[in-house]
Amino acid sequence: MCGIVGFIEKQREDISDVLVNSLLILQHRGQDAAGVITYDRSFHLKKGQGLVQQIFQKKHIQRLKGFMGIGHVRYPTIGPGTGEDAQPFYTNHPYGIGIVHNGNVMNFFSLKRKLWNERKWQVNSLNDVEVILNVFAMALEDFETGKETDFVSNIFKAVETVYSLVRGAYSVILLIGDRGLLAFKDPHGIRPLSMGIKQGGIGFASESVVFDYSLHKLKRELLPGEAVFVDKDLKVFSRNILKNTYRPCIFEWVYFSRPDSIINGIGVLEARKRLGRALGKKIKQMGIHPDVVIGIPDTGRPAAIEVANELKIPVSEGLIRNRYITRTFIMPRNTKRHSSVRQKLNPVMSEIKDKNVLLVDDSIVRGTTSSEIVKMVRSIGAKKVYYASYSPPVISPCYYGIDMTTNEDFIARDKNLDEVRKIIGADLIIYGELKDLASILPFKEPCMACFNNNYPIKPQKDDIEDIEKDRLQWNLL
Ligand code: 5GP
Ligand code: MG
């Protein structure tokens, strides 16, 4: 998963500090690498591996001159995530184009081969954004040298070419030299991307929480298959290029986005509270009577409060999180994941000893975090440990940008509830219901493929093989 942001200012003021601070706000979306590219009369780029604050020092922010620019925070869903693969990517013609994206191109490897075989274009990196950039740049160049000379219609036609060739989920922002910012969403609109407006400036961001800081007013989410171009005078052109069923990823509300963001008009915190209430009702019906509810920091906490309200029992901060440790799931090796759960979370004995404890988390994916937590809580004297996930079992790979791309990733995939319970070591496992999850969004068919195996864009056999080969290769590092 990744976070993206882009700003353009009419007053031609430097925006690099706002860009970098916005990346900090989106840091939860990726901690492996980050980068910014700006434009005044030429491009200025800084990117690297690590956290935003490790990469950008004052001198870099001063060097990143420009009134328009884009930025990115990354965790890789393709490739090993080396510094070379950090975004933004850049090509010097036509115009000079910088690009950032959030999502995952399913046919990355076959497109890379196609670009080489048909045009001898070298896609150098293991970053799927590079194929989007190449397809777009190539198409724009073709249209610009053809009879059609209207720039705006040419870029929209180039986006159409991207749609026809690139399969997967992608929300994209491009910085086009001397021209402006272009943002678009894939035809199903799987990953979020919203637009914000203020006097003299326009912005795009993965999550609305960026605009709370940058003082843009959240205007709206981009539509599926829609492209929006903002020129240097802040004139906005938008076009619905290819509209498919809207299938926004529900995992954004379950886990990924910040609770203070609003996506598609639905507050993330509110959605988690609703899921908590539904879970509480289910537990009540099951006739279980824990002594205390503990939310697993951070995502599980708002739901835990709601569960406790439903059950009319106390909620406690019985697990304390070390806020200086970044998300553990992101670490490529399993052993690392195990030990960093211990580093990240610590139980408080007075809240847990001799009690029947109900733990509430957002999801159970591999079962790594959950089994460590159950062990920890038992080791300080819990009587019974009930483990609840407010989302249903995660059973299917995500090909659209969440790093769970192979079947081996899922504890619940081929196992019944009791088998999962045994592995995690809890006295009981409780999952949220699929229908309650679906009800948090007003869309007919949000993407819930990881929960219900119903894919908006069917993965093809070759793509799955390429993707699995890639992920297994790097996970084994
Ligand atoms: P598990 O217990 O299955 O090993 O992991 C579940 C935990 O991982 C939950 O606490 C959830 O918050 C977190 N999680 C779920 N999906 C993701 C993800 O895509 N990235 C990261 N960093 N954490 C995740
Ligand atoms: Mg968690």
Side-chain angles (χ1 to χ4, degrees):
M1 182 58 73
C2 299
I4 58 175
V5 62
F7 293 116
I8 179 164
E9 292 274 325
K10 198 171 183 175
Q11 303 309 324
R12 305 282 190 269
E13 292 191 358
D14 286 340
I15 40 92
S16 59
D17 57 334
V18 184
L19 268 172
V20 170
N21 286 329
S22 299
L23 291 183
L24 202 53
I25 287 170
L26 294 179
Q27 185 81 81
H28 60 287
R29 298 184 71 88
Q31 294 113 35
D32 271 36
V36 157
I37 189 164
T38 56
Y39 180 87
D40 48 6
R41 270 156 313 198
S42 58
F43 287 88
H44 309 282
L45 171 69
K46 168 72 187 164
K47 60 180 178 176
Q49 261 181 305
L51 298 170
V52 173
Q53 283 177 321
Q54 294 166 332
I55 297 165
F56 295 96
Q57 294 154 18
K58 205 168 160 201
K59 62 177 184 196
H60 302 122
I61 294 173
Q62 281 163 348
R63 178 171 68 72
L64 290 164
K65 293 265 171 237
F67 61 93
M68 57 179 187
I70 54 180
H72 187 263
V73 285
R74 174 170 207 235
Y75 93 67
T77 45
I78 280 183
T82 56
E84 266 175 51
D85 289 347
Q87 298 191 33
F89 271 67
Y90 169 76
T91 183
N92 51 15
H93 68 117
Y95 302 100
I97 305 173
I99 189 169
V100 290
H101 94 314
N102 170 208
N104 194 52
V105 175
M106 295 160 78
N107 57 340
F108 168 71
F109 293 97
S110 62
L111 271 178
K112 190 170 164 156
R113 289 190 288 267
K114 181 184 163 77
L115 287 169
W116 176 255
N117 291 338
E118 291 177 11
R119 301 276 294 249
K120 293 289 171 285
W121 277 58
Q122 163 75 357
V123 173
N124 197 44
S125 71
L126 277 172
N127 189 321
D128 46 333
V129 79
E130 203 185 349
V131 300
I132 304 180
L133 176 61
N134 279 300
V135 168
F136 177 84
M138 216 182 276
L140 183 59
E141 195 159 84
D142 289 350
F143 293 129
E144 291 275 288
T145 48
K147 283 199 191 78
E148 179 68 75
T149 50
D150 173 29
F151 176 75
V152 175
S153 71
N154 285 342
I155 53 173
F156 288 149
K157 280 200 295 188
V159 175
E160 204 175 336
T161 308
V162 171
Y163 289 160
S164 70
L165 290 174
V166 180
R167 285 189 307 110
Y170 44 91
S171 285
V172 182
I173 314 176
L174 295 130
L175 174 65
I176 307 180
D178 197 43
R179 297 291 176 145
L181 284 188
L182 170 67
F184 61 89
K185 263 189 188 178
D186 68 77
H188 287 289
I190 295 174
R191 303 257 68 96
L193 184 60
S194 56
M195 182 175 171
I197 294 194
K198 69 176 180 186
Q199 187 70 33
I202 290 182
F204 297 97
S206 294
E207 292 183 35
S208 68
V209 69
V210 166
F211 301 136
D212 296 343
Y213 152 76
S214 66
L215 301 179
H216 290 73
K217 188 170 177 299
L218 172 62
K219 177 87 174 150
R220 63 178 179 90
E221 261 311 296
L222 263 64
L223 296 171
E226 183 194 20
V228 177
F229 176 67
V230 184
D231 76 8
K232 285 193 297 182
D233 300 316
L234 298 197
K235 213 165 151 212
V236 178
F237 305 82
S238 80
R239 175 106 28 112
N240 294 313
I241 294 172
L242 179 63
K243 194 167 168 23
N244 261 320
T245 330
Y246 200 6
R247 309 283 307 262
C249 163
I250 207 155
F251 214 66
E252 290 284 344
W253 285 269
V254 169
Y255 166 78
F256 219 87
S257 289
R258 264 175 62 153
D260 41 348
S261 280
I262 297 167
I263 305 176
N264 280 300
I266 314 295
V268 176
L269 180 65
E270 183 50 36
R272 289 180 191 163
K273 285 170 73 176
R274 279 178 60 185
L275 290 168
R277 286 196 286 276
L279 180 67
K281 289 201 171 83
K282 176 171 174 176
I283 295 173
K284 201 151 115 190
Q285 275 171 10
M286 290 168 77
I288 300 155
H289 302 287
D291 300 313
V292 63
V293 184
I294 297 175
I296 300 189
D298 289 319
T299 335
R301 290 165 61 193
I305 296 172
E306 300 300 317
V307 170
N309 277 344
E310 288 292 331
L311 298 178
K312 303 203 167 38
I313 56 171
V315 62
S316 156
E317 299 282 332
L319 279 168
I320 304 301
R321 175 182 175 161
N322 178 343
R323 73 180 66 190
Y324 302 101
I325 295 193
T326 49
R327 285 182 165 182
T328 49
F329 198 97
I330 282 157
M331 314 235 164
R333 268 195 317 172
N334 239 316
T335 44
K336 250 198 200 165
R337 271 190 206 114
H338 266 289
S339 59
S340 49
V341 175
R342 288 258 168 189
Q343 282 178 291
K344 181 166 120 176
L345 291 175
N346 195 38
V348 182
M349 192 184 272
S350 59
E351 304 298 298
I352 289 171
K353 192 170 166 27
D354 298 327
K355 290 185 180 161
N356 295 325
V357 178
L358 170 62
L359 299 170
V360 175
D361 205 352
D362 58 277
S363 58
I364 301 173
V365 185
R366 300 176 171 100
T368 324
T369 317
S370 33
S371 51
E372 279 295 311
I373 293 172
V374 170
K375 260 189 244 156
M376 260 189 244
V377 169
R378 284 203 193 283
S379 72
I380 57 163
K383 265 203 302 202
K384 284 213 156 99
V385 183
Y386 310 120
Y387 203 97
S389 148
Y390 61 71
S391 60
V394 175
I395 48 160
S396 292
C398 178
Y399 301 110
Y400 313 129
I402 308 267
D403 192 15
M404 35 196 205
T405 37
T406 61
N407 284 330
E408 284 106 290
D409 282 344
F410 312 112
I411 188 170
R413 185 172 175 85
D414 304 310
K415 297 182 194 70
N416 64 31
L417 210 56
D418 200 51
E419 288 166 325
V420 172
R421 181 193 67 74
K422 277 201 191 116
I423 296 174
I424 290 178
D427 293 286
L428 188 67
I429 297 282
I430 308 143
Y431 281 108
E433 297 289 318
L434 209 50
K435 67 170 182 7
D436 291 328
L437 180 61
S439 77
I440 62 171
L441 298 183
F443 305 104
K444 238 172 94 197
E445 283 189 286
C447 180
M448 306 204 295
C450 55
F451 299 113
N452 67 4
N453 204 32
N454 172 0
Y455 289 96
I457 312 146
K458 282 258 168 308
Q460 291 178 2
K461 203 165 154 274
D462 295 2
D463 300 335
I464 296 178
E465 280 169 15
D466 280 336
I467 291 169
E468 287 192 346
K469 215 163 77 195
D470 176 81
R471 293 327 290 151
L472 290 173
Q473 181 184 351
W474 305 118
N475 279 341
L476 285 177
L477 274 179

